[in-house]
Amino acid sequence: MRSLLSCLAILTSFVLALPSQRDSPHQVKERVFPPRDWEIQSIAPSTHKIELKIGLPQPNFHILEKHLYEVSDPSHTRYGQHLSKEEVEALVAPHPESLELVTDWLVSHGIGKEDMTRSPAQDWITVTVPVGVAEKMLDTTYYVWKHTASGESIVRTTSYSLPIHLHEHVDVIQPTTTFARLKSFKSTIHRFDKETGQIVEQSNTPIISASGISVDPSCNTTVTVTCLKQLYNATDITPSATINNSFGITGYLDQFANFQDLQSFYAIQVPEAVNSSFTVLSVAGGQNNQTLSEAGDEADLDIEFGFGITFPINGTFFTTAGSPPFIPDLDTPTDTNEPYTTWLDFILAQDEIPLVITTSYGDDEQTVPESFAKRACAGFAQLGARGVSLTFSSGDGGVGDGDPDPATQSCITNDGTNRTEFLPLFPASCPYVTAVGGTIHVPEVAVDFSGGGFSNYFARPAYQDAAVAAFFDNFPNGTFAGLFNPNGRAFPDVAAQADNFQVIIGGETGLIGGTSAASPTFAGFVALLNDARLKAGLPSLGFLNPLFYSTAISGFNDITSGNAPGCGTEGFNATVGWDPVTGLGTPDVGKLVALVTSV
């Protein structure tokens, strides 16, 4: 007995002599190369506050993804059986050990539990700390970086470390290595021409669309709500205001949606909607200034065509705080995170979410660390599982920068090799959203700025295999070799008109273009498809892509002409079937209504 007790005493002494797991040394968690077009201005002040978001692993995400694909696949018996908020949260919840260890680590740095904000699923923990504390936590140094072209400043580092025992319990921490200009999201508006907003008649002869519908000839120079309904075979659809259908638009960058402009737009284009309005939801203190001169071109475009197409469906505009440029000084003491993650935090916590939500913002995929992109994309998957359809503009740079000249192109990798490579856009490259490219004119051709290509982060999802394989069957071997990842998630998925939209902004009429016009347009027609399903007693469509690439593929007008240059090349061509310029094509809403109400 004494011998046993002696052995236990020795063993206990040995264990106590080992370093505590909570005292394990730091090891690099993530490192990026100093990004192109960003320069260090100074060391970040130690008192400057940053809002750290800590993403804990979601060990059951693969189960959520399985549910997502089953409820989104029209050939599956569970099609349309979307998950509840509580079911989704249970599937993305972290392991209790991860929660405990990360909480203990934060407490060890003087952060009280009451100062930790947890997401409903507890898979994100948010804390606001001075830079000096963050540097100790992450064994790093933060700098103030300045973007050479825009003058925008952010506080970031190019690497951070964690205690070794925490590596498997933390997926990502930001803001650290993210240099996306997502704080100043690049609106994908291509142009706004004032003084050219009047409809110009070309002839009295109607144009016949791909749907076989007569389209007013003026639609070749000036796109209106009526033009879009004619072009996409939706003139006979009258949606209901009383069946709990809903449509949402995201807004960032102090892009204010102006009520007066909307009423003026309605008076000209949708007179039956005059005096109707929409709900504004503030995210993290976002504003919606109604001074006419502060009206946002992006916001006004989105609400005028999005709500114009969907009237009288309930509309919501989300205004998320954050405006460029960010300059860290005494007047702006807190560096916030990328706005779309702020919006994701907000929307995932809501019990009621619009059934269709359109977003017209994004940035080059390579400017977002892969770990962060995948966590944000996982957030979009959660919305899809809950029955929400998400559309994103595919971008306005063709395969990258929109420049066909090899001497002046700017598609350079930021991995230290400085290679020329096509630049896919994020979040359009996320496989759980529907990316919308652009067309122009009637008959439709690809607009020359339509963003598209193949992700370097996300593998091609199975729902795309047949369509993308068919594209490559006819793609000349060796073309653009080394410039893109042929095995990546391919985008866009679909397309819509993207130029010459007649808008009213700040009281002035003009024409505007960009895939910023295409996404709210396509999303608006998805809301009309939901109207048909809800009237038939069916659930909302939810995640769209598995449906579009299978049962509903015949409901699209194939676009076979045009190309979108960039990165010193002429870019990909629109061709028969799916292509990385216009996706599956533009919607024939009449056909799609029949298709989506029969599954």
Side-chain angles (χ1 to χ4, degrees):
M1 184 68 177
R2 287 180 182 172
S3 176
L4 178 59
L5 290 174
S6 297
C7 288
L8 287 173
I10 293 170
L11 180 61
T12 300
S13 299
F14 175 74
V15 171
L16 291 174
L18 290 174
S20 166
Q21 187 184 47
R22 289 164 173 76
D23 296 327
S24 61
H26 280 67
Q27 188 176 78
V28 173
K29 174 69 173 176
E30 187 165 58
R31 175 180 284 123
V32 300
F33 284 88
R36 285 171 51 84
D37 301 325
W38 290 92
E39 296 178 347
I40 291 178
Q41 293 294 105
S42 63
I43 292 177
S46 62
T47 55
H48 173 78
K49 290 185 178 180
I50 55 177
E51 184 182 81
L52 286 180
K53 290 184 63 62
I54 303 162
L56 279 59
Q58 301 165 327
N60 292 319
F61 179 77
H62 65 289
I63 301 176
L64 172 76
E65 185 182 45
K66 181 175 181 290
H67 285 295
L68 171 66
Y69 281 124
E70 288 180 356
V71 302
S72 306
D73 179 357
S75 67
H76 200 281
T77 56
R78 294 186 60 208
Y79 181 65
Q81 297 175 26
H82 307 304
L83 277 62
S84 68
K85 175 176 181 286
E86 292 73 23
E87 288 171 331
V88 168
E89 289 170 359
L91 288 170
V92 299
H95 193 281
E97 183 183 14
S98 298
L99 272 173
E100 179 185 357
L101 291 175
V102 172
T103 298
D104 288 351
W105 172 63
L106 293 172
V107 169
S108 74
H109 285 278
I111 301 169
K113 292 183 180 180
E114 68 278 6
D115 296 320
M116 304 175 197
T117 302
R118 302 177 190 272
S119 63
Q122 301 198 63
D123 56 330
W124 286 97
I125 299 176
T126 303
V127 296
T128 300
V129 296
V131 161
V133 172
E135 290 179 332
K136 290 178 182 177
M137 292 169 59
L138 305 176
D139 191 24
T140 191
T141 301
Y142 276 90
Y143 294 91
V144 177
W145 296 75
K146 184 176 182 179
H147 190 259
T148 54
S150 67
E152 176 187 350
S153 296
I154 57 175
V155 172
R156 295 292 189 269
T157 182
T158 53
S159 70
Y160 70 93
S161 300
L162 289 173
I164 292 173
H165 76 276
L166 288 182
H167 276 233
E168 64 180 305
H169 299 287
V170 173
D171 271 351
V172 62
I173 299 180
Q174 293 294 346
T176 50
T177 56
T178 298
F179 283 84
R181 294 179 59 214
L182 300 176
K183 178 88 171 68
S184 59
F185 259 157
K186 292 189 297 186
S187 161
T188 48
I189 282 180
H190 192 63
R191 64 184 180 86
F192 177 48
D193 293 339
K194 297 180 180 178
E195 313 300 336
T196 58
Q198 301 304 311
I199 295 176
V200 179
E201 294 288 350
Q202 293 183 316
S203 72
N204 294 320
T205 305
I207 310 169
I208 304 302
S209 74
S211 305
I213 303 297
S214 294
V215 179
D216 191 285
S218 66
C219 299
N220 247 322
T221 55
T222 304
V223 175
T224 64
V225 170
T226 298
C227 286
L228 294 169
K229 288 188 174 183
Q230 291 176 352
L231 181 60
Y232 297 137
N233 191 18
T235 55
D236 293 334
I237 297 175
T238 303
S240 171
T242 60
I243 55 173
N244 292 322
N245 198 2
S246 51
F247 179 76
I249 295 169
T250 62
Y252 302 95
L253 295 185
D254 282 352
Q255 277 282 320
F256 304 132
N258 190 272
F259 291 102
Q260 182 177 329
D261 280 342
L262 182 62
Q263 293 304 314
S264 299
F265 176 86
Y266 279 165
I268 296 171
Q269 295 201 27
V270 195
E272 64 272 26
V274 169
N275 295 325
S276 69
S277 191
F278 58 94
T279 301
V280 176
L281 287 183
S282 171
V283 180
Q287 302 296 309
N288 196 34
N289 186 338
Q290 289 303 293
T291 303
L292 197 59
S293 61
E294 295 297 316
D297 49 9
E298 175 67 67
D300 273 8
L301 165 65
D302 288 351
I303 65 167
E304 288 171 9
F305 278 87
F307 297 147
I309 290 169
T310 59
F311 174 80
I313 294 170
N314 297 322
T316 299
F317 178 74
F318 298 95
T319 174
T320 303
S323 59
F326 171 74
I327 302 174
D329 58 24
L330 294 178
D331 295 323
T332 55
T334 301
D335 189 10
T336 57
N337 244 284
E338 284 68 26
Y340 68 72
T341 56
T342 300
W343 178 80
L344 265 173
D345 289 346
F346 173 87
I347 200 72
L348 287 170
Q350 305 306 303
D351 292 321
E352 299 292 332
I353 302 175
L355 298 179
V356 182
I357 302 175
T358 175
T359 299
S360 297
Y361 302 81
D363 204 354
D364 295 342
E365 185 182 72
Q366 69 168 356
T367 64
V368 185
E370 185 171 353
S371 60
F372 191 58
K374 288 187 172 179
R375 276 306 293 259
C377 189
F380 299 136
Q382 293 176 54
L383 290 171
R386 290 175 60 179
V388 178
S389 303
L390 300 173
T391 70
F392 281 82
S393 300
S394 71
D396 285 356
V399 293
D401 62 356
D403 185 357
D405 187 345
T408 56
Q409 64 87 17
S410 57
C411 300
I412 307 299
T413 61
N414 63 0
D415 60 1
T417 63
N418 293 326
R419 292 174 290 112
T420 294
E421 191 173 82
F422 291 169
L423 301 177
L425 198 81
F426 182 80
S429 64
C430 170
Y432 309 125
V433 307
T434 300
V436 186
T439 62
I440 192 171
H441 300 319
V442 185
E444 291 183 279
V445 298
V447 72
D448 62 6
F449 53 76
S450 182
F454 301 84
S455 172
N456 291 315
Y457 288 172
F458 302 100
R460 184 198 305 161
Y463 63 74
Q464 284 191 313
D465 278 342
V468 177
F471 168 78
F472 279 122
D473 284 344
N474 297 299
F475 190 67
N477 287 335
T479 304
F480 304 144
L483 292 180
F484 69 97
N485 171 25
N487 300 312
R489 184 278 204 261
F491 73 101
D493 301 295
V494 294
Q497 287 277 312
D499 210 357
N500 299 319
F501 277 53
Q502 185 187 46
V503 292
I504 296 178
I505 298 172
E508 298 185 69
T509 302
L511 299 183
I512 207 165
T515 53
S516 276
S519 184
T521 293
F522 189 90
F525 289 119
V526 173
L528 300 190
L529 299 182
N530 273 337
D531 176 81
R533 281 182 61 85
L534 294 171
K535 286 174 179 174
L538 299 169
S540 63
L541 288 169
F543 177 38
L544 299 167
N545 295 1
L547 169 70
F548 286 171
Y549 282 88
S550 60
T551 306
I553 199 167
S554 61
F556 289 90
N557 308 309
D558 193 10
I559 308 302
T560 59
S561 298
N563 67 294
C567 304
T569 75
E570 290 302 316
F572 296 109
N573 293 318
T575 187
V576 174
W578 179 90
D579 58 69
V581 188
T582 59
L584 297 171
T586 58
D588 182 323
V589 180
K591 285 185 180 179
L592 286 169
V593 165
L595 290 166
V596 303
T597 53
S598 62
V599 293

